Amino acid sequence: MVIVMQASATPEQMRQVLHLVETSGFHAHINDGVERKVVAVLGEVDIDKVELVDRFENLPGVEKVNLISAPFKLSSRQYHPEDYIVRDGNLAIGGNRVCIAAGPCSVESPEQIMESAIAVRAAGASMLRGGAFKPRSSPHSFQGLGEPGLKMLAEAGEETGLPVITEVMDAHDLDLVCRYAQFLQIGARNMQNFTLLRAVGQCGYPVLLKRGPGCRIKDLLMAAEYVLCEGNSRVVLCERGITTFEDAARNTTDINAIPILKELSHLPVFLDPSHSTGEWRWVTPIARAGIAAGADGLIIEVHPNPQAARSDGRQSLKPERFAEMMRQVRAIAEAVGRTV
Ligand code: PEP
Ligand code: MN
């Protein structure tokens, strides 16, 4: 349930509402909206919902009470009607400007990540990606360099002035990753690792939450809810392809998810066309489609020498191809009234 306060509601009226929320056995999350405050009432409802709605509606300062039947509340537009902009330093994700994060799948060496960082920055990226903890399907595949990789990534980020985003796979590594990164990534395989989601919620760092390949849009929003519940509002949702019967590409890009997520939620939405296609030749066309469909940003794998990459070389763009992708994406962004 969400309680929409009148624009003229006083602090005392707000206090009365919060008091009734707590004494009824719930807890409140407050969205200090631009026009009016909205209070989300969270907890299990075991008393009569209609009676509860009446009690809240009769309080002074309350405009209306909406029951949200969906199992996600804090990630829903009903709670936060305006688009939400995730900010960190100079970075703003979810506003008019489309944000591009780019870099290799894995950090492999200081030279490889530095060369990647310089190239993606020159082409106009505003974030550097690179994995140091890699969720690989086989335990025999390269697992990432761990802390030395994080150090290399942080150095390349500092040198180029790009904030860095990297995956955290385990709640135990969170403090370590936060020492080196500005932005966290929760990978597709961990989308429903609820312990990790809560830990990231408590740590407060901005997070890119990737959709699991077998998960529905509502599952992604419920996963985001775990982070938001802990008081961390800086969540970016990411479509990265789902598993379907179609096996011509690594995954199926669910372009529908972009406008659907934007409608259901106020959170910014990214597309990862590298993982959603699995093939570098299809990355640029699908990147264009994502921006045309309303994505707030892209995360792209770029490697100075894809043939030699230790992970995901096949779907990685060479720097010059990434620069060409940026040119095309810029044109699409302008066509839909945005900038890059
Ligand atoms: C990645 O970004 O390299 C990655 C492993 O992505 P995903 O979790 O979407 O598979
Ligand atoms: Mn990858």
Side-chain angles (χ1 to χ4, degrees):
M1 162 188 324
V2 295
I3 302 169
V4 182
M5 301 298 291
Q6 291 165 358
S8 59
T10 64
E12 179 48 34
Q13 290 172 337
M14 186 68 170
R15 262 194 297 279
Q16 280 178 26
V17 168
L18 297 181
H19 181 73
L20 185 55
V21 171
E22 300 296 334
T23 52
S24 308
F26 300 101
H27 45 276
H29 274 251
I30 304 163
N31 165 27
D32 289 310
V34 184
E35 281 183 27
R36 57 201 70 220
K37 292 188 191 322
V38 181
V39 181
V41 181
L42 303 179
E44 284 174 55
V45 181
D46 53 8
I47 50 178
D48 187 321
K49 277 187 193 165
V50 180
E51 189 213 335
L52 201 62
V53 170
D54 273 357
R55 271 159 67 192
F56 282 114
E57 263 178 352
N58 288 332
L59 286 178
V62 170
E63 183 167 298
K64 61 178 178 209
V65 177
N66 294 331
L67 282 171
I68 305 185
S69 51
F72 49 89
K73 322 268 182 209
L74 299 179
S75 55
S76 83
R77 277 236 182 239
Q78 277 157 292
Y79 171 60
H80 198 296
E82 306 92 13
D83 284 347
Y84 181 70
I85 301 185
V86 170
R87 294 182 193 279
D88 193 63
N90 294 330
L91 209 60
I93 300 176
N96 189 258
R97 187 159 174 227
V98 163
C99 170
I100 313 291
C105 178
S106 301
V107 178
E108 297 166 4
S109 69
E111 296 75 24
Q112 174 251 15
I113 189 67
M114 192 66 80
E115 199 182 328
S116 306
I118 291 168
V120 301
R121 200 211 132 102
S126 42
M127 252 201 274
L128 174 65
R129 67 149 289 153
F133 293 100
K134 295 304 303 176
R136 304 305 300 281
S137 300
S138 165
H140 308 301
S141 304
F142 176 56
Q143 303 286 304
L145 297 178
E147 186 170 6
L150 291 174
K151 263 192 195 131
M152 295 169 202
L153 179 67
E155 276 166 22
E158 269 162 37
E159 185 68 28
T160 51
L162 293 175
V164 301
I165 175 165
T166 196
E167 177 159 357
V168 57
M169 277 176 60
D170 190 307
H172 292 111
D173 299 323
L174 194 52
D175 287 345
L176 174 72
V177 174
C178 287
R179 255 179 265 145
Y180 296 99
Q182 284 76 49
F183 226 99
L184 303 171
Q185 175 176 322
I186 295 183
R189 293 160 187 81
N190 259 327
M191 189 201 89
Q192 288 181 311
N193 179 338
F194 301 116
T195 312
L196 178 62
L197 293 169
R198 282 198 191 280
V200 166
Q202 284 158 17
C203 100
Y205 267 51
V207 57
L208 181 83
L209 176 61
K210 290 185 140 197
R211 178 182 180 184
C215 295
R216 298 165 303 178
I217 288 171
K218 59 182 146 202
D219 298 317
L220 174 59
L221 290 168
M222 283 188 275
E225 190 85 5
Y226 270 88
V227 180
L228 298 168
C229 270
E230 298 297 326
N232 184 356
S233 54
R234 293 192 293 168
V235 178
V236 177
L237 306 167
C238 182
E239 165 62 35
R240 47 75 74 206
I242 53 174
T243 306
T244 66
F245 59 82
E246 180 53 72
D247 62 0
R250 182 176 178 185
N251 289 294
T252 298
T253 309
D254 184 8
I255 284 286
N256 294 358
I258 297 169
I260 294 173
L261 284 168
K262 298 288 300 176
E263 186 175 300
L264 293 175
S265 178
H266 55 283
L267 297 171
V269 176
F270 260 44
L271 174 68
D272 175 345
S274 307
H275 291 87
S276 80
T277 62
E279 178 65 52
W280 71 264
R281 296 192 314 283
W282 305 328
V283 170
T284 297
I286 299 305
R288 293 195 307 252
I291 297 303
D296 298 296
L298 302 169
I299 182 162
I300 306 286
E301 288 188 338
V302 178
H303 194 289
N305 181 9
Q307 286 100 320
R310 296 185 76 180
S311 61
D312 287 349
R314 191 172 167 164
Q315 66 196 34
S316 299
L317 296 179
K318 290 181 180 166
E320 59 274 20
R321 292 204 167 107
F322 175 66
E324 175 55 27
M325 185 214 83
M326 288 295 283
R327 278 189 282 278
Q328 296 187 20
V329 160
R330 222 171 255 126
I332 299 288
E334 275 165 30
V336 295
R338 303 184 82 167
T339 57
V340 176

